[in-house]
Amino acid sequence: MVRNKKKLIHLLKRGDEKAFSQLVNKYSRRLFAYAVSLSGDYSFAKDIVQEVFLKTFEHRKRLNPDFSIEGFLYRSTYNQFINTYHKNISLLKINDE
């Protein structure tokens, strides 16, 4: 188990699957609770958190060890909620028309 957050980010950047699993295990519950508080919907929140972790892994080489990974994950969760919310609103408008 990696205790140092900077080392965790360095391992993530190299594609270390154990480091990614540790990241998911450490933050998934908290991010899920945050996403539920934003959306009020468990299924929607689950999708948001999954998308955040997927994008984090896909763009892991851009992570900066000098910045808070926790802050990054919370901001990503918020942004994903906003993006998905607006996308869903647009789809509802199209369906109504």
Side-chain angles (χ1 to χ4, degrees), residues 70-82:
E70 186 173 353
F72 169 80
L73 291 171
Y74 275 94
R75 174 54 74 184
S76 297
T77 300
Y78 178 78
N79 290 341
Q80 186 63 37
F81 164 73
I82 295 296

Side-chain angles (χ1 to χ4, degrees), residues 2-89:
V2 180
R3 297 210 185 269
N4 182 331
K5 291 180 184 179
K6 284 187 178 188
K7 183 172 181 172
L8 177 67
I9 292 173
H10 285 296
L11 291 171
L12 284 171
K13 288 178 82 158
R14 290 193 305 209
D16 187 300
E17 290 180 20
K18 288 181 182 180
F20 182 71
S21 292
Q22 183 179 346
L23 183 76
V24 171
N25 290 336
K26 183 171 184 169
Y27 292 106
S28 61
R29 286 185 182 191
R30 288 188 263 175
L31 293 176
F32 176 73
Y34 179 55
V36 168
S37 76
L38 294 170
S39 68
D41 182 282
Y42 288 95
S43 179
F44 188 47
K46 182 179 176 183
D47 291 343
I48 289 169
V49 173
Q50 286 179 337
E51 191 65 28
V52 165
F53 282 119
L54 176 66
K55 286 181 179 181
T56 299
F57 190 78
E58 287 174 351
H59 302 289
R60 68 190 177 276
K61 292 185 180 186
R62 295 186 205 163
L63 293 174
N64 186 338
D66 294 327
F67 295 115
S68 165
I69 188 70
E70 186 173 353
F72 169 80
L73 291 171
Y74 275 94
R75 174 54 74 184
S76 297
T77 300
Y78 178 78
N79 290 341
Q80 186 63 37
F81 164 73
I82 295 296
N83 293 340
T84 306
Y85 178 78
H86 287 296
K87 180 179 170 185
N88 288 345
I89 292 296

